[in-house]
Structure formats: structure tokens, C-alpha cells
């Protein structure tokens, strides 16, 4: 893809731009929700086009949503597709993907990420720096696997799950929709929808 829209302008967007640059030359613009049409604003030298209204003028361009939050990523992806933009899957050259693994459209693998045998990522899943998705895992759309997190074999997550930095999920555990696993947690059992778990072993966060 020679024409790429990166939706987002924060720290995660800069990491995604590193992936774009590592994959070779392309015409790149940044779209930042909530900004008016910009005048000379850039990220890493790439023009910021302004708000989502800029998407309509870029039908046919490839796009990636460089936003960490899964719910926001879902909403912005739908806006881009409604404007006729095409989801890209980006894999940094230092990442590895097993031959029989499957990556959904819009997925991003950052530096050192690993997706192994027969793992399956849904749409717009982000696997961050040095994170691992092991054999037979199924990761729901718009989920985020944070830096240094590890999903053991056969883990299943619902949509918009967030596995925090350095967390470990035991083999064959199921995480529901909108689950948040705190940084450094060790998850040994299934976690129901919309639950936040923390600690070793992981337990629901008191509210």
C-alpha cells in the first residue's frame, strides 16, 4: 500500500509510524480526531490533516487506527471504512508470525511481537513490543496485548480485551469482552465480561 492514513497522533501513533517506516516508503498522512483542519502541524514530519472529516477525501487509501483503547479503535475503524478507506495489517520486520497463524485486517504487530502456530487475531488487534500470542490463541477484535505481555497456548479473549504490560495469562484461560488485565498480573482462571483483574494470582479489582 503506497498511501497510508494513520488515525491517531499520540505515543502509540508514533510507534505505529515506526512500523510504517520500517516497511518501506509510502505517502503517509496523520488524522487526529478532535483537531480542526491543521496548518503546518505534523507528527514525525508527516502532515496532520485534522479531524475525521478529512477521511472522506481519502477513499481508497489504506488506514490503521493507532489508538490504544479498543472501544475508540472500533469506532474510528468504522468511520474510516464508511469513508471508503481500506484497513491495513502492519507487521514490523522484527516481529514474527507463524505460517499458519491468521491476522485480521487492521492488526498491528510492533517490534519483537510474536504470534505463533495456529493463533488467530480478529480485526484491529494490536500486539505490542515483545508481546507473545502463543499457539491456538484466539484474540477478539479490537483487543490490545501490551508490551511484554504473554498469552499462553489456547487462550481466548473477547472483543476489546486489554492485557496490561508484563501480564501473563495461563494456557486455555478465557477472557470476556472488555476485560482489563492489570500490568504484571498472572491470570490463572477465566475472567467474565467487563471485569478488571489485578495481582498475582489475578483477582477482580474492588470497586
Amino acid at each position: 500500500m503506497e498511501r497510508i492514513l494513520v488515525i491517531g497522533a499520540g505515543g502509540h501513533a508514533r510507534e505505529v509510524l515506526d512500523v510504517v517506516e520500517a516497511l518501506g516508503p509510502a505517502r503517509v498522512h496523520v488524522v487526529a480526531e478532535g483537531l480542526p483542519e491543521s496548518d503546518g502541524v505534523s507528527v514525525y514530519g508527516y502532515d496532520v490533516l485534522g479531524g475525521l472529516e478529512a477521511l472522506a477525501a481519502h477513499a481508497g487509501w489504506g488506514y490503521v487506527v493507532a489508538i490504544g483503547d479498543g472501544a475508540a479503535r472500533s469506532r474510528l475503524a468504522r468511520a474510516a471504512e464508511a469513508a471508503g478507506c481500506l484497513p491495513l495489517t502492519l507487521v514490523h520486520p522484527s516481529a514474527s508470525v507463524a505460517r499458519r497463524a491468521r491476522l485480521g485486517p487492521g492488526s498491528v504487530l510492533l517490534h519483537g511481537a510474536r504470534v505463533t502456530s495456529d493463533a488467530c487475531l480478529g480485526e484491529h488487534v494490536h500486539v505490542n513490543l515483545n508481546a507473545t500470542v502463543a499457539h491456538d490463541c484466539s484474540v477478539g477484535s479490537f483487543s490490545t496485548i501490551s508490551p511484554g505481555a504473554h498469552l499462553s497456548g489456547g487462550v481466548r479473549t473477547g472483543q476489546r480485551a486489554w492485557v496490561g504490560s508484563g501480564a501473563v495469562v495461563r494456557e486455555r484461560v478465557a477472557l470476556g469482552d472488555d476485560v482489563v488485565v492489570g500490568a504484571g498480573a498472572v491470570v490463572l482462571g477465566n475472567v467474565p465480561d467487563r471485569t478488571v483483574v489485578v495481582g498475582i494470582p489475578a483477582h477482580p479489582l474492588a470497586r
Side-chain angles (χ1 to χ4, degrees), residues 85-110:
C85 302
L86 308 172
L88 295 177
T89 299
L90 302 180
V91 178
H92 191 275
S94 70
S96 68
V97 180
R99 184 162 61 92
R100 293 181 177 84
R102 291 174 290 167
L103 307 183
S107 291
V108 177
L109 273 61
L110 297 181

Side-chain angles (χ1 to χ4, degrees), residues 124-154:
H124 300 276
V125 170
H126 286 202
V127 183
N128 280 273
L129 310 171
N130 299 312
T132 304
V133 179
H135 66 86
D136 300 302
C137 285
S138 177
V139 181
S141 296
F142 307 102
S143 292
T144 299
I145 313 303
S146 297
H150 302 290
L151 304 187
S152 303

